[in-house]
Amino acid sequence: MHIGKYEFNEFMEVVRSFHGSPAPGIIIGGIMVDMARDALPPETIFDAVVETPKCLPDAVQLLTPCTVGNGWLKIVNLGRYALTLYDKYTGEGIRVFIDPRKLANWDEIQGWILKLKPKKDQDFDRLISQIKTAGREFLTARPIQVNLEQLTRKRMSDINVCPICNEPYPSDDGAACRGCHGDSPYVVEGGDLT
Amino acid sequence: MHIGKYEFNEFMEVVRSFHGSPAPGIIIGGIMVDMARDALPPETIFDAVVETPKCLPDAVQLLTPCTVGNGWLKIVNLGRYALTLYDKYTGEGIRVFIDPRKLANWDEIQGWILKLKPKKDQDFDRLISQIKTAGREFLTARPIQVNLEQLTRKRMSDINVCPICNEPYPSDDGAACRGCHGDSPYVVEGGDLT
């Protein structure tokens, strides 16, 4: 079984190297990417949506040209283990999700996605083995029309220098940057090191 | 000049391969990652914050163990071209930002970050050359204390199957999943392909 251009075990290593561990969610994500891609017309120039920030973004980033930093991968947190690849010009795409109706034969995958047992009681090798055997059998793909306006990254406004922190920021954010408007996750900022 | 374990031009290729183009923002981001890392005590186990979703996430994902999918990279959109690496247990970290006070000698970098001219009038080769020559000279690093509670990913709740779409979702999201609560970016969803 292949995932993208990789042989299954080779992809496990690619995942380990990028993600820090060969997370089952990314292996499943890789199978989902392939399934969506195969159902799109060849040569489609696509963007991607993942419906959870957990694991799935890394599968898309490893197997497609879409990354968070280039904006072609969009994370819309709906809490579902699903992804969509869609034509970036028309919004027509394919959504793939884990289908509970198809999990009866795959108890370890079912236990993983429905969190039926604590992580420490999961049998990792059995889970990976079931994923490898099942392939796409527990997944469903559907054609979908994406709302392009909702997903298109806004063109960035002019840049100002914030009068409070003296850093560049988009003028659309107002008279000061968002960090100085109270959205910052920092408690204390020290003096310049250099 | 090196960026992470890469020679400068080699990193340009790594960026092109992952991000689709050798974006100047990611090259700068790579220099920022190195600067933050050097100011942290060696062996620090760190998480990362980027203050914009544009380009910077990819620099962090290419050069550190932190990815969007594993949750060690957090995107807090403050609109500033800045990143922080911080000790994941204490929240003590180093924030690096582009410092407008230091841009006088680097007009092409200044033009890029302040968007002083349209992209088509930017001189890409001159910009990359200035970045390579400047190194860290237009950046400032500061020690910072992160609010860990604000940045720590919540432990996921139990999983239910949504009574509307029949897909698994976190029970904390309520009686139905967020997609079925109206947060979905899809206009039309077709029938099962498989």
Side-chain angles (χ1 to χ4, degrees):
Chain A
M1 180 190 184
H2 276 69
I3 296 180
K5 67 181 180 187
Y6 306 104
E7 197 278 321
F8 190 91
N9 291 329
E10 188 189 358
F11 184 61
M12 296 261 293
E13 280 314 304
V14 170
V15 171
R16 188 197 307 271
S17 163
F18 184 67
H19 184 81
S21 65
I26 309 191
I27 314 296
I28 292 173
I31 300 171
M32 296 169 81
V33 167
D34 280 353
M35 191 168 177
R37 213 162 177 166
D38 284 352
L40 282 177
E43 314 299 326
T44 304
I45 299 184
F46 61 84
D47 279 3
V49 177
V50 292
E51 298 183 19
T52 171
K54 297 187 188 202
C55 289
L56 267 187
D58 288 359
V60 172
Q61 294 186 114
L62 284 172
L63 293 169
T64 79
C66 309
T67 72
V68 171
N70 69 23
W72 303 338
L73 168 60
K74 295 107 186 358
I75 301 170
V76 180
N77 189 1
L78 305 177
R80 301 188 298 203
Y81 214 79
L83 61 79
T84 294
L85 305 183
Y86 64 93
D87 183 306
K88 70 193 303 165
Y89 303 109
T90 67
E92 289 172 64
I94 301 292
R95 178 173 182 269
V96 176
F97 61 97
I98 294 184
D99 194 334
R101 298 171 299 179
K102 300 180 177 177
L103 285 171
N105 291 335
W106 314 106
D107 63 321
E108 205 68 39
I109 301 174
Q110 186 174 46
W112 173 82
I113 185 68
L114 299 178
K115 297 221 300 179
L116 299 182
K117 46 187 176 182
K119 201 165 185 178
K120 66 174 176 51
D121 296 335
Q122 284 173 9
D123 183 336
F124 176 80
D125 292 339
R126 194 160 176 269
L127 175 55
I128 295 295
S129 164
Q130 280 198 3
I131 294 169
K132 192 171 174 179
T133 307
R136 302 177 181 181
E137 287 192 20
F138 60 101
L139 304 172
T140 294
R142 287 182 186 153
I144 210 154
Q145 174 66 46
V146 162
N147 180 348
L148 286 177
E149 206 171 321
Q150 185 177 340
L151 290 178
T152 303
R153 195 177 263 191
K154 306 281 175 296
R155 228 189 107 75
M156 202 156 77
S157 61
D158 289 344
I159 301 295
N160 284 350
V161 172
C162 174
I164 301 174
C165 67
N166 295 309
E167 293 180 42
Y169 77 103
S171 59
D172 280 356
D173 286 350
C177 81
R178 292 197 210 183
C180 294
H181 270 132
D183 295 340
S184 150
Y186 310 122
V187 186
V188 183
E189 185 160 357
D192 298 357
L193 290 179
T194 46
Chain B
M1 178 188 186
H2 275 68
I3 295 180
K5 67 181 181 188
Y6 306 103
E7 196 280 318
F8 189 91
N9 291 331
E10 188 189 358
F11 185 61
M12 296 260 294
E13 279 313 306
V14 170
V15 171
R16 190 198 305 270
S17 164
F18 184 68
H19 184 81
S21 65
I26 308 192
I27 313 296
I28 292 173
I31 300 171
M32 296 170 81
V33 166
D34 280 354
M35 190 170 180
R37 213 162 179 166
D38 285 352
L40 283 177
E43 314 299 327
T44 303
I45 298 184
F46 60 83
D47 279 3
V49 177
V50 292
E51 298 184 19
T52 171
K54 298 188 186 203
C55 289
L56 267 186
D58 288 357
V60 172
Q61 294 186 114
L62 285 171
L63 293 168
T64 79
C66 308
T67 72
V68 170
N70 68 23
W72 302 338
L73 167 60
K74 294 107 183 4
I75 301 171
V76 182
N77 189 2
L78 304 177
R80 301 189 299 203
Y81 214 79
L83 61 81
T84 294
L85 304 183
Y86 64 93
D87 184 306
K88 69 193 301 163
Y89 303 108
T90 67
E92 289 172 63
I94 301 292
R95 178 173 182 269
V96 176
F97 61 97
I98 294 184
D99 194 334
R101 297 171 300 179
K102 300 180 177 176
L103 284 171
N105 291 336
W106 314 107
D107 63 320
E108 204 70 39
I109 302 174
Q110 185 174 47
W112 173 81
I113 185 68
L114 298 178
K115 296 220 303 180
L116 298 182
K117 46 187 177 183
K119 199 163 185 180
K120 67 174 177 49
D121 296 335
Q122 285 173 10
D123 183 334
F124 176 80
D125 291 339
R126 195 160 174 271
L127 174 54
I128 295 295
S129 164
Q130 280 198 3
I131 294 169
K132 191 171 177 179
T133 307
R136 302 177 182 183
E137 287 191 23
F138 61 101
L139 303 172
T140 293
R142 288 181 185 153
I144 209 154
Q145 175 65 45
V146 163
N147 180 349
L148 286 179
E149 207 171 322
Q150 185 177 338
L151 291 179
T152 303
R153 197 178 264 191
K154 306 282 174 293
R155 225 188 110 74
M156 202 156 75
S157 60
D158 289 343
I159 302 294
N160 286 348
V161 172
C162 174
I164 301 174
C165 67
N166 295 309
E167 294 180 41
Y169 77 103
S171 60
D172 279 357
D173 286 351
C177 81
R178 292 197 209 181
C180 293
H181 269 131
D183 295 343
S184 149
Y186 310 122
V187 185
V188 183
E189 186 162 356
D192 298 357
L193 290 180
T194 47

